[in-house]
Amino acid sequence: LAKTTQPISMDSYEGQEVNITCSHNNIATNDYITWYQQFPSQGPRFIIQGYKTKVTNEVASLFIPADRKSSTLSLPRVSLSDTAVYYCLVGDNQAGTALIFGKGTTLSVSS
Amino acid sequence: GAVVSQHPSWVICKSGTSVKIECRSLDFQATTMFWYRQFPKQSLMLMATSNEGSKATYEQGVEKDKFLINHASLTLSTLTVTSAHPEDSSFYICSARPPPATSGARNEQFFGPGTRLTVL
């Protein structure tokens, strides 16, 4: 399984755009890139998933370069409620395949 | 989206007792469920893969005789922490992924809300 590397922590202010980059140099052809968000004492929650190029949904955008060795989660105009841990995961999305979590990035949003 | 529930949400027990945690997929069937453990300010650590109708697969370093997993139906997996000790105190989280035909394009894995275990 591809290993991921993310910054341990990031700080931001309300209203700013936050970009969290994840490195996954050993990503395999069948692997997808998925980002999860976790609040304290809760299970992780799916944010966005992509395979290549750019994906956008109602909460975030995911940018993936052509070589797919990294990805960037972009959170537009963050609010205090976006303070959480963000995990970048890489895997083949098969039903029987577990997600292996790295250390994640703790995002702190201040007013 | 799909929902995974856990029960109880928290439990306090005395050292030496056993505790059972339930994980249910409420609106889909899951032949495979996963159990994670998370210590404070740390990431989720995969403990085992629960397979319906067969034995669970444990990650290296996880004692299968201490953490008993039963996946008796397509919607229920249980984790029993036997002879619990204070070092077993942790946040236990289960997850499951709906079959591809019902999961849509996202193919996401759904996590339960977690169970906080405190062993005194």
Side-chain angles (χ1 to χ4, degrees):
Chain A
L1 294 174
K3 181 180 178 180
T4 60
T5 302
Q6 311 173 225
I8 295 298
S9 63
M10 294 182 70
D11 296 315
S12 182
Y13 291 97
E14 284 188 292
Q16 290 188 333
E17 178 184 79
V18 172
N19 296 309
I20 306 174
T21 297
C22 177
S23 296
H24 27 81
N25 291 317
N26 297 320
I27 189 169
T29 302
N30 295 331
D31 287 343
Y32 285 76
I33 301 156
T34 311
W35 286 78
Y36 280 80
Q37 175 192 56
Q38 186 185 27
F39 297 111
S41 296
Q42 294 186 28
R45 184 176 70 102
F46 175 97
I47 300 175
I48 198 167
Q49 181 183 89
Y51 184 81
K52 61 180 178 180
T53 64
K54 177 183 175 182
V55 180
T56 297
N57 62 19
E58 61 276 9
V59 297
S61 293
L62 178 60
F63 298 91
I64 305 169
D67 64 6
R68 303 201 323 124
K69 293 183 182 298
S70 66
S71 59
T72 298
L73 173 71
S74 181
L75 305 172
R77 299 181 59 80
V78 294
S79 63
L80 296 175
S81 62
D82 292 317
T83 294
V85 180
Y86 292 83
Y87 295 97
C88 163
L89 297 102
V90 175
D92 62 12
N93 278 354
Q94 295 300 310
T97 303
L99 292 174
I100 304 300
F101 285 77
K103 296 184 184 301
T105 297
T106 298
L107 173 64
S108 299
V109 181
S110 304
S111 57
Chain B
V3 179
V4 174
S5 71
Q6 285 184 236
H7 178 81
S9 56
W10 58 270
V11 57
I12 301 173
C13 69
K14 293 182 178 180
S15 185
T17 61
S18 294
V19 175
K20 179 184 286 188
I21 302 170
E22 293 185 349
C23 176
R24 294 182 184 273
S25 54
L26 298 186
D27 49 3
F28 65 95
Q29 294 184 332
T31 56
T32 304
M33 291 183 175
F34 307 98
W35 287 96
Y36 295 83
R37 180 169 54 182
Q38 186 175 35
F39 293 108
K41 298 191 181 301
Q42 294 187 25
S43 183
L44 285 78
M45 184 190 76
L46 178 66
M47 297 177 66
T49 300
S50 173
N51 304 299
E52 188 269 335
S54 64
K55 293 182 178 180
T57 304
Y58 291 82
E59 295 300 302
Q60 189 173 9
V62 178
E63 300 176 58
K64 62 180 181 180
D65 294 330
K66 181 172 183 61
F67 299 99
L68 302 179
I69 293 173
N70 187 319
H71 195 151
S73 78
L74 289 172
T75 60
L76 172 65
S77 175
T78 60
L79 168 68
T80 301
V81 183
T82 63
S83 187
H85 291 284
E87 58 265 29
D88 298 322
S89 298
S90 188
F91 192 54
Y92 292 86
I93 308 171
C94 70
S95 70
R97 183 182 282 127
T102 61
S103 65
R106 300 205 306 198
N107 222 13
E108 68 183 269
Q109 191 164 130
F110 292 88
F111 288 82
T115 298
R116 175 75 59 192
L117 170 63
T118 302
V119 185
L120 303 177

